[in-house]
Amino acid sequence: MVKDVNIEIALTHVITRKKQTIVAALGVTIGVGIYLFMNSLGSGFTSFSRNEIFKNNAHIKIYKDDELSVPITKNTTNTGITLIVNPQITTLSKKIINPEALLQQVKKQPYVTNALAQVNFDAFYNKGKAQIKGTGNGVVIADYNAMFNLGKYMVAGSINSLNGNNNGIIIGSGIAKKLCLGLNNSITVSSSFNVIKVMKIVGIFTTGNSMNDQQKSYVNIATAQQFLKEGPSYVSTIFINTPNPDNTESYVKKLQRLTHYTVEDWKTTNADVLMGAISFSILFVAAFGIYNILSATITQKINDIAILKATGFSSGDVVRVFVLEALIMGCIGTFFGLILGAILIAIMSKIYMGGPVGYFPISFELNLFAYSLMLGIFITVCAGYFPARRAARIDPVEIFRK
């Protein structure tokens, strides 16, 4: 079987002009390798930060949001002037009305895996003259542990010690360290409502997040209600977990139909725009670098294009020759680029950073390898097609005159 002449010419260019081939393939290798490595790095940090978020934050929360003061007089005719004096955020109660009924209704939804009620309050941890400001979390500890697995982070005591113990408290290791406190010690806790209680430390946790460990504590929900001078029906937040945290937008719309309170997902609370922008920037730089190198390679072969056209090759044949040539160099470069990226990922994944992070947060992800492969092939085809098409339109006589 006779080999297609276009393929033969492309292979001849690739083999005989080794320097140009190596330079072009190396450009693709570096572009694809860096793109794969940086996106794996970004994905690793994103996964790590999400795990940190979900240590004590649910996929979705329902709460009563702040409201603006309403006009003194309502204008129903759309004429005249509406009277309003210094509109500002009202200091009404954050109480969810009939939270038990709402919680039961939420739990019945097929897309809800866990749901619990929580009461938060501003807490002040005191020992002698030392004081730390933090956040107290009133929960049913069994339900909270089922959702967030708090028991995994306990370094002293047990979460079960908080069951039915309205005088018990579980504190973060940062609080314990700053106030020199240990298990079964007493700690004075006060709230912004001037309620003061002497609590017994029944557990100490450490999540590795300094903000949580130095500020958070857990008490029974009834104790939190007392700190706020509220009754047993007071609930400030309902936390909800779903099967897929990436699909929370659709769940939020469904839950919003059940209540007039604010329904907010974790993506709204923890907006993650930065990594998307970084990923796009990496893609743009890698694609631009690959395009420039291969485009320059094609442009340098303008004399070859003139010879091909002068010997009877059509513009379409010329384009096919150089697209095929670019594709061969791109495949070579992409293959080695994936190897380069894999080596960098393997090296970084072996670096131990210590603390809660452990090993460097980067790993092999097949989807990123697939994206990198598609990027390398797509850009090389574009880098071969557009310069070749432009060059193929040139009159060969013009090229010979030069």
Side-chain angles (χ1 to χ4, degrees), residues 83-289:
L83 180 60
I84 184 169
V85 178
N86 191 22
Q88 55 188 317
I89 294 176
T90 58
T91 56
L92 298 175
S93 172
K94 298 288 187 180
K95 179 179 180 179
I96 294 177
I97 305 299
N98 199 4
E100 187 61 33
L102 178 58
L103 182 60
Q104 293 305 317
Q105 194 175 12
V106 166
K107 286 182 176 180
K108 291 178 182 178
Q109 305 309 307
Y111 49 84
V112 172
T113 56
N114 294 95
L116 61 84
Q118 182 166 307
V119 175
N120 299 329
F121 63 95
D122 293 328
F124 299 89
Y125 310 107
N126 306 277
K127 182 186 178 185
K129 294 184 178 180
Q131 184 181 79
I132 299 175
K133 184 180 183 303
T135 304
N137 299 268
V139 296
V140 177
I141 194 62
D143 294 342
Y144 190 89
N145 186 54
M147 180 177 284
F148 298 111
N149 195 16
L150 179 62
K152 174 183 176 182
Y153 305 105
M154 298 294 292
V155 293
S158 169
I159 59 169
N160 295 326
S161 301
L162 196 60
N163 281 327
N165 185 356
N166 289 339
N167 195 44
I169 186 172
I170 297 174
I171 63 173
S173 57
I175 301 171
K177 183 177 180 181
K178 284 187 175 182
L179 297 181
C180 297
L181 295 169
L183 192 64
N184 297 322
N185 287 166
S186 295
I187 180 174
T188 302
V189 182
S190 57
S191 71
S192 54
F193 287 78
N194 202 31
V195 176
I196 302 173
K197 288 179 175 289
V198 178
M199 313 285 290
K200 181 180 178 180
I201 299 173
V202 297
I204 300 173
F205 67 88
T206 179
T207 63
N209 184 314
S210 59
M211 184 175 294
N212 290 333
D213 296 342
Q214 294 177 15
Q215 296 183 2
K216 279 187 176 292
S217 66
Y218 297 93
V219 299
N220 274 324
I221 193 167
T223 305
Q225 291 162 345
Q226 293 170 10
F227 273 115
L228 294 173
K229 295 184 177 179
E230 295 286 353
S233 64
Y234 180 87
V235 168
S236 57
T237 311
I238 292 177
F239 281 167
I240 302 162
N241 269 0
T242 62
N244 182 9
D246 292 321
N247 196 32
T248 49
E249 294 92 340
S250 62
Y251 301 142
V252 166
K253 292 178 182 178
K254 294 176 182 178
L255 288 169
Q256 193 64 77
R257 301 189 192 113
L258 304 179
T259 179
H260 64 278
Y261 295 115
T262 301
V263 182
E264 186 176 272
D265 68 344
W266 70 276
K267 295 179 184 178
T268 303
T269 308
N270 305 275
D272 188 17
V273 179
L274 180 59
M275 288 315 301
I278 292 174
S279 179
F280 178 79
S281 300
I282 295 167
L283 170 62
F284 179 79
V285 171
F288 188 73

Side-chain angles (χ1 to χ4, degrees), residues 331-347:
C331 288
I332 296 171
T334 300
F335 174 75
F336 286 104
L338 295 178
I339 293 176
L340 173 63
I343 292 173
L344 293 174
I345 293 170
I347 292 172

Side-chain angles (χ1 to χ4, degrees), residues 9-36:
I9 293 172
L11 289 172
T12 300
H13 280 169
V14 170
I15 295 170
T16 57
R17 299 187 177 181
K18 293 183 178 62
K19 186 175 180 179
Q20 282 187 346
T21 300
I22 292 173
V23 170
L26 186 61
V28 178
T29 297
I30 294 173
V32 170
I34 296 301
Y35 174 79
L36 172 60

Side-chain angles (χ1 to χ4, degrees), residues 38-49:
M38 292 302 295
N39 274 279
S40 298
L41 184 65
S43 178
F45 274 108
T46 298
S47 298
F48 175 76
S49 62

Side-chain angles (χ1 to χ4, degrees), residues 53-112:
I53 290 170
F54 293 146
K55 281 181 179 179
N56 49 31
N57 285 281
H59 301 164
I60 300 172
K61 63 180 179 179
I62 299 176
Y63 65 99
K64 184 177 181 182
D65 204 356
D66 293 320
E67 299 175 354
L68 283 175
S69 53
V70 297
I72 294 177
T73 59
K74 294 185 178 180
N75 188 348
T76 58
T77 61
N78 293 325
T79 59
I81 300 174
T82 299
L83 180 60
I84 184 169
V85 178
N86 191 22
Q88 55 188 317
I89 294 176
T90 58
T91 56
L92 298 175
S93 172
K94 298 288 187 180
K95 179 179 180 179
I96 294 177
I97 305 299
N98 199 4
E100 187 61 33
L102 178 58
L103 182 60
Q104 293 305 317
Q105 194 175 12
V106 166
K107 286 182 176 180
K108 291 178 182 178
Q109 305 309 307
Y111 49 84
V112 172

